[in-house]
Amino acid sequence: MGYSQETRFSNIDFQIDYTEGFIKTANTYYALNETEVIDGSWKKTGKKIKKGETATVEGVIYTIDDYIFAGYKGNWISADDVAIKESDILPNYLLRKNRDNEIIWIADWYKDVIDLSRKEAIRFINKKLPVTEDLYFADSDTYWYEDYASYPFGIDFTNVLLNIRFLGRDGYNFLIKRIEKKNQDYIITCFPTEIYDWSDISAKCTDLENFPNPTETFSLRISPLKDSIKVYNFETKKLIVSLIPVTDEWVDLFQDFLKTGKKGNEEKR
């Protein structure tokens, strides 16, 4: 429904001319690469934006199929191909991409979870993510660990949007205002996009206890290490979460483990 085989986003189950999910922006963007423009039915319009060209983006959207798009003159372009003018960009290894995505950043405590039994793993995650305790989906007749909500908690970084996933693909989206590289670190300043309750955020996920007040513009410091990255509250300098990279294959194996208790190669990232 709502997609065309003419584009590389052929599995998307979403009609992109639906704009209620827009995160409106006043930023000015430019094209990182030459990029094609698509319409609301996922068909190519025949128009392209050249590399370096200014792109007046009307809003950003995160689709239900885990793609991020930018609204452009009533149509759409992939968020992979745009960046904020007069701002630094994030390195490729950090980015959650629409195309050719290689890694996903999840909380580092998952490396301990995979050594547990299924029941122990579920209890461990319940403590880290209190929102999952006894969580049951009546429409699908499943508990969270048998459903999409078993997708690991983590952060998706792009050059236009920051997405904090705490329950499956659900979470908190923040529009990026500016990215600044300082030595090996990256300072990401974000706009609040909704009236999120800070106490509610920390109650749903214990790792977010030190997260900034999401009702105001805030900054995070991202510090890359050899095999992980640390995310800090820029103002308080307190650690929010440490993240490790995994692949889509790892996530599939992990979700299967939570459903069945069967262990594949979860140790391999």
Side-chain angles (χ1 to χ4, degrees):
M1 48 179 287
Y3 64 80
S4 166
Q5 295 294 333
E6 294 182 39
T7 76
R8 57 177 61 89
F9 306 106
S10 58
N11 66 327
I12 297 178
D13 188 25
F14 190 79
Q15 198 153 355
I16 207 161
D17 53 8
Y18 170 78
T19 56
E20 290 183 17
F22 255 20
I23 298 173
K24 293 185 178 179
T25 175
N27 287 338
T28 301
Y29 299 87
Y30 69 97
L32 284 169
N33 308 290
E34 182 176 83
T35 182
E36 295 174 324
V37 179
I38 59 175
D39 66 16
S41 296
W42 301 100
K43 294 179 181 178
K44 297 177 184 176
T45 64
K47 297 178 181 178
K48 291 184 178 181
I49 302 174
K50 295 179 180 179
K51 181 178 179 179
E53 183 179 339
T54 297
T56 304
V57 171
E58 301 152 5
V60 178
I61 196 167
Y62 206 131
T63 78
I64 60 175
D65 292 281
D66 213 22
Y67 290 101
I68 303 175
F69 281 87
Y72 178 73
K73 296 183 179 179
N75 293 300
W76 298 87
I77 51 178
S78 171
D80 289 356
D81 298 324
V82 293
I84 302 166
K85 272 203 165 185
E86 299 180 359
S87 176
D88 289 323
I89 59 174
L90 296 173
N92 273 331
Y93 68 84
L94 272 181
L95 296 175
R96 174 73 184 191
K97 303 173 187 176
N98 289 337
R99 305 183 300 273
D100 305 320
N101 193 57
E102 296 179 356
I103 60 173
I104 300 158
W105 291 97
I106 66 172
D108 66 351
W109 46 259
Y110 280 97
K111 63 189 177 187
D112 299 321
V113 174
I114 60 176
D115 292 327
L116 304 174
S117 70
R118 177 175 180 264
K119 288 184 178 180
E120 290 171 333
I122 291 169
R123 285 197 293 267
F124 189 106
I125 296 171
N126 285 157
K127 289 181 180 179
K128 285 288 189 177
L129 304 173
V131 69
T132 63
E133 184 74 40
D134 298 323
L135 183 62
Y136 182 79
F137 298 99
D139 56 347
S140 58
D141 195 27
T142 57
Y143 284 96
W144 68 269
Y145 44 81
E146 301 168 323
D147 205 287
Y148 76 96
S150 61
Y151 196 93
F153 160 69
I155 299 180
D156 293 332
F157 300 94
T158 80
N159 286 308
V160 298
L161 192 71
L162 185 78
N163 178 49
I164 299 178
R165 296 176 278 96
F166 67 88
L167 184 61
R169 292 313 190 347
D170 291 338
Y172 303 103
N173 292 318
F174 298 100
L175 188 71
I176 294 177
K177 178 181 179 181
R178 180 176 173 80
I179 299 169
E180 182 179 2
K181 189 175 188 299
K182 285 194 172 182
N183 298 319
Q184 298 304 310
D185 293 351
Y186 293 86
I187 312 303
I188 302 177
T189 301
C190 299
F191 289 117
T193 57
E194 295 182 30
I195 307 301
Y196 295 125
D197 182 343
W198 183 86
S199 62
D200 183 51
I201 288 178
S202 58
K204 287 179 178 176
C205 177
T206 58
D207 282 8
L208 298 180
E209 181 180 357
N210 293 322
F211 197 79
N213 183 345
T215 64
E216 302 173 355
T217 299
F218 64 86
S219 296
L220 305 175
R221 177 163 64 88
I222 313 302
S223 295
L225 302 174
K226 183 178 179 181
D227 297 312
S228 65
I229 56 175
K230 292 189 179 297
V231 181
Y232 294 90
N233 182 320
F234 182 72
E235 295 298 328
T236 66
K237 298 180 173 57
K238 291 183 177 180
L239 177 68
I240 297 173
V241 65
S242 180
L243 303 172
I244 56 174
V246 297
T247 63
D248 279 321
E249 180 184 7
W250 187 97
V251 172
D252 289 341
L253 288 168
F254 179 75
Q255 290 183 296
D256 187 61
F257 162 61
L258 290 183
K259 288 179 184 178
T260 67
K262 178 183 177 181
K263 290 193 177 184
N265 296 317
E266 297 93 348
E267 293 83 1
K268 295 181 180 180
R269 295 207 298 272

